[in-house]
Amino acid sequence: MKNGTVIFDFDGTLAWIWARLLARALKSQTWCYPLLGTENIKQVPGALKTLSLLLQAGYSLGIISDRREESLGALLQSAMIPCGYFRFVKGSEDGIFKPSPDMFNTTLRVMNCTDPVLYIGDHTDDCRACWGADREIEFVGVLTGLCNLDEFLRAGVPAKNIIDSVADLPDFLGVTEEDANEIWAAMYR
């Protein structure tokens, strides 16, 4: 995919939140969410550089997360990731969570997104939501969150679509810093 829309999950993909990692260790997620505050967030190393490179290379960026939509702006700010990098930021509403593809279907329809779509996530629910969507969405799993390599492989994610972190996404897409800078400069000639 040389252009298009790249959509990210938030927790475990762009940022780490201590309570979510604790929940993983304890094999329960839901009870930890009320403990989350914006002070316990750390950006995944390389996330900001990856987002910048993809923007410079002409990709449109978005977020689709199971987290409540009203909390995502504050969480992005706490992780020091500019909200302005994203064409859309969509959280769960009305009790709809991944692996339901409804958030993808609704968001992509409302945003009139017709270009190729790639979704980056840290959980097998993320890939199942992509694969159940009304249109083709390619999935890339990152190993910085809830699922490990074996879990992704068992879910049917091809090994070539599993990367260590979002820092490896430019290489996956074939985006170099030089290419991104050339595209960016051409836009302003």
Side-chain angles (χ1 to χ4, degrees):
M1 186 171 93
K2 285 294 183 188
N3 59 24
T5 298
V6 179
I7 306 171
F8 298 87
D9 183 30
F10 182 74
D11 297 87
T13 302
L14 293 176
W16 290 310
I17 300 176
W18 74 267
R20 185 143 192 243
L21 295 176
L22 174 64
R24 176 185 183 190
L26 298 174
K27 300 293 184 199
S28 167
Q29 292 180 46
T30 55
W31 71 269
C32 284
Y33 279 113
L35 302 175
L36 299 178
T38 57
E39 68 278 359
N40 299 309
I41 298 172
K42 182 178 180 184
Q43 186 184 114
V44 170
L48 193 59
K49 182 176 182 179
T50 292
L51 296 171
S52 297
L53 279 173
L54 295 181
L55 279 174
Q56 288 177 3
Y59 287 89
S60 179
L61 306 181
I63 292 178
I64 292 181
S65 172
D66 277 342
R67 184 165 296 287
R68 299 292 301 172
E69 193 164 322
E70 60 270 8
S71 70
L72 283 167
L75 293 170
L76 282 165
Q77 184 176 0
S78 293
M80 298 181 1
I81 299 172
C83 293
Y85 276 18
F86 302 98
R87 181 175 168 210
F88 57 86
V89 176
K90 179 70 175 148
S92 68
E93 295 178 7
D94 303 323
I96 298 172
F97 299 97
K98 296 172 279 180
S100 169
D102 291 347
M103 283 196 296
F104 288 93
N105 294 334
T106 302
T107 302
L108 295 174
R109 186 176 58 253
V110 168
M111 297 306 299
N112 196 28
C113 183
T114 58
D115 45 337
V117 177
L118 180 69
Y119 186 69
I120 317 304
D122 71 313
H123 197 276
T124 56
D125 283 350
D126 296 327
C127 64
R128 286 195 294 271
C130 290
W131 297 338
D134 291 343
R135 58 168 294 174
E136 184 177 337
I137 300 173
E138 185 176 3
F139 177 76
V140 173
V142 293
L143 301 176
T144 50
L146 292 175
C147 287
N148 62 38
L149 178 64
D150 289 336
E151 290 168 309
F152 278 129
L153 292 172
R154 279 194 307 271
V157 179
K160 70 176 184 59
N161 281 40
I162 303 168
I163 58 178
D164 287 331
S165 82
V166 292
D168 301 315
L169 188 58
D171 287 340
F172 177 86
L173 291 171
V175 173
T176 66
E177 200 164 338
E178 183 178 293
D179 292 339
N181 289 336
E182 285 179 22
I183 292 168
W184 191 256
M187 290 170 53
Y188 293 99
R189 285 188 195 143

